[in-house]
Amino acid sequence: MNGTTGRWVVALSAAGAAAIHGATSVSAVDGGVGAVLAVVGAAELTIAVGAATSARWLPAPRTVALLLVAPVLLWATLLLVAVTADSPAIAGSLATVPLAGATVLGLAGAASAGADARRTRVGARVRPARAGLAVAAAAVLTVLVVTPSVAATLPSAGIAPEEEKVPSTIVFGGHSGHIGYQP
């Protein structure tokens, strides 16, 4: 990736999506889905580190864009499988709000990588003020999406099940409802 702005937008978006996928994998009910989400999060974190450090091993911007869109397609496929197979374990593991947030960040990173690929090919000039504004907007978007998404994966103290309180009463007198009852 050649553009500094594109690199940082991709790095921030991928890091945010990795945090969401990591948190969702830990809270997943189904172990298989949790493992898949952990692998996706690790791959996104690798892309984020590569983009932030301008690593030479990072693939071309178009490939990075495809890699950031792949988790969105994977999530949609898992959701389709959960619905059609009537599997509550898989559906319960696919926390909708957090994964929708990861989708927003993945698509933002993919769009930035795609724009970087086009800019590199066409040779468009990047203005520093606009680049700084784009990076700041990407950072704010990442924080605004990641914070509630990760919070949605954490167990809430207010939702903890309460012990069922059954009133215990002793009934004296006739027990006409009991067959064969001898006092």
Side-chain angles (χ1 to χ4, degrees):
M1 305 190 99
N2 295 333
T4 303
T5 305
R7 275 189 311 112
W8 282 106
V9 172
V10 168
L12 290 169
S13 299
I20 294 170
H21 282 121
T24 308
S25 72
V26 171
S27 66
V29 176
D30 186 313
V33 173
V36 168
L37 290 171
V39 168
V40 167
E44 289 168 335
L45 187 59
T46 303
I47 290 172
V49 169
T53 61
S54 299
R56 296 196 182 274
W57 50 263
L58 198 63
R62 286 184 183 182
T63 306
V64 169
L66 289 174
L67 290 172
L68 290 174
V69 170
V72 175
L73 298 175
L74 178 67
W75 174 54
T77 303
L78 284 174
L79 195 58
L80 181 65
V81 166
V83 169
T84 57
D86 195 27
S87 174
I90 295 175
S93 296
L94 298 173
T96 309
V97 171
L99 293 179
T103 297
V104 167
L105 292 175
L107 293 177
S112 180
D116 190 45
R118 180 163 167 65
R119 192 176 317 120
T120 301
R121 188 184 69 198
V122 175
R125 220 174 106 233
V126 177
R127 295 186 177 94
R130 287 185 185 172
L133 187 60
V135 171
V140 168
L141 174 71
T142 301
V143 168
L144 290 176
V145 171
V146 170
T147 303
S149 296
V150 171
T153 64
L154 300 174
S156 176
I159 301 178
E162 292 184 24
E163 289 184 33
E164 186 177 327
K165 295 181 181 178
V166 178
S168 58
T169 58
I170 300 174
V171 178
F172 296 100
H175 292 279
S176 61
H178 297 280
I179 299 173
Y181 176 76
Q182 296 293 328

